[in-house]
């Protein structure tokens, strides 16, 4: 199966590589430590329960591991995890570190318009840490 | 362990019973088919990756089964699944059926202020269907 990242997901973040059955992206918004897990599944599989049971477990294990990474590396007060996709239908799971005083607190990031690009050197720091902890391919 | 539902979660929905390691609630907002899964875990376990591995799998299996129920029973266009909890810290996972033309589409339900109580007979219909499909305790 040829998997192609949706152009809007590809344009909005940095592709860090593969974990489990997913690609891991850092969203290009330095206001939040905001990651996307994009399961490499065929088009039309848009909701979590549509994943085959084995793939579902693999994706959920990736959610768990990336959540632990975001928690450990950024020390947020709370994680926000969501699979929404009302607009971009290619399945993608948001994993976002949240803290009181961040740009959207206590609201959700999805209702927040603000955006600030990451500095390239910060992206490289985060990529290195993610590769080291998560063993991305 | 004595588990007590957070008063705000209890006041905002109908407790349908237990599935896996969770309580299942229907949120009292007829604008959306909106369910909450509340894992019966100790206070302080607020993020998914903090669950013990076996409990995590049990909770994720409940997410999968409730998602399939919402999808089958309400036939929404899309499911929105999220574990947020910035305000109410007791862990709870939203599973919401979404469709073009609903009150918040294509935005998220968490950014939507509108609310409309369910008719009691509708709640009973949904409860019966959920018990029949999910075998709630």
């Amino acid at each position: 199966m040829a998997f192609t990242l949706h152009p809007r997901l590809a344009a909005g973040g940095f592709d860090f590589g593969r974990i489990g059955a997913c690609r891991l992206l850092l969203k290009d918004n330095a206001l939040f430590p905001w990651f996307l897990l994009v399961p490499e599944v065929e088009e039309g599989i848009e909701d979590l329960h549509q994943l085959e049971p084995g793939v579902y477990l693999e994706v959920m294990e990736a959610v768990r591991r990336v959540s632990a990474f975001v928690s450990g590396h950024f020390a947020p007060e709370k994680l926000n995890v969501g699979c929404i996709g009302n607009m971009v239908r290619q399945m993608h799971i948001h994993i976002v570190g949240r803290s009181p005083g961040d740009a959207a607190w206590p609201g959700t990031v999805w209702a927040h318009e603000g955006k600030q690009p990451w500095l390239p050197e910060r992206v490289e720091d985060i990529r290195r840490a993610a590769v080291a902890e998560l063993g991305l391919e």
Side-chain angles (χ1 to χ4, degrees), chain A residues 24-106:
Chain A
L24 176 66
L25 277 73
L26 171 68
K27 224 170 137 67
D28 191 14
N29 188 348
L31 296 178
F32 314 97
W34 184 343
F35 292 82
L36 297 182
L37 274 172
V38 187
E40 295 185 322
V41 292
E42 54 188 304
E43 227 173 303
I45 306 289
E46 299 178 348
D47 287 317
L48 293 172
H49 72 286
Q50 298 175 319
L51 294 169
E52 288 178 34
V55 176
Y56 181 71
L57 287 180
E58 208 175 347
V59 170
M60 290 305 116
E61 173 63 7
V63 168
R64 198 186 63 72
R65 292 185 62 210
V66 172
S67 295
F69 167 70
V70 175
S71 178
H73 190 76
F74 298 92
E77 165 110 356
K78 186 73 191 73
L79 291 182
N80 289 179
V81 175
C83 186
I84 302 170
N86 300 340
M87 291 186 266
V88 173
R89 287 298 173 86
Q90 183 173 73
M91 187 189 293
H92 56 286
I93 300 161
H94 304 262
I95 299 173
V96 196
R98 302 299 312 279
S99 294
D102 76 24
W105 187 265

